[in-house]
Amino acid sequence: MTTLNVSIPEALRTFVDERVSEGAYSTSSEYLNHLITRDQERLRLRQMITDGIASDRGEAFDASYFDSLRQRANG
């Protein structure tokens, strides 16, 4: 693992410290890692949506299709 030093306003530092002290995260590094990972996931999802919009239109799904999926999922 590598180290990255960042400067943030005092109000943000206080917020991060509060999140850690609440027990939501064990360290400020863990909290920042979580935020960065969430941003990466958001960007991947946005790209998948963009790719889907740009792709050829697939087949239409009706209620019976979703009924069959529910039946398969329920065993």
Side-chain angles (χ1 to χ4, degrees):
M1 194 166 295
T2 185
T3 301
L4 171 69
N5 295 316
V6 296
S7 297
I8 59 174
E10 186 62 35
L12 290 181
R13 177 58 196 229
T14 299
F15 180 78
V16 170
D17 290 344
E18 288 170 356
R19 295 294 289 148
V20 171
S21 68
E22 292 167 354
Y25 301 91
S26 58
T27 65
S28 57
S29 291
E30 181 183 334
Y31 180 56
L32 293 175
N33 284 331
H34 175 80
L35 293 177
I36 292 167
T37 301
R38 293 281 310 266
D39 192 39
Q40 287 175 324
E41 291 168 353
R42 183 188 60 80
L43 291 172
R44 278 193 294 271
L45 178 58
R46 177 178 280 182
Q47 186 61 54
M48 289 187 330
I49 291 169
T50 301
D51 292 347
I53 291 169
S55 70
D56 291 334
R57 186 172 185 167
E59 65 181 279
F61 298 111
D62 60 8
S64 65
Y65 171 79
F66 290 104
D67 288 341
S68 69
L69 285 180
R70 279 188 208 89
Q71 288 174 356
R72 285 182 20 208
N74 291 329

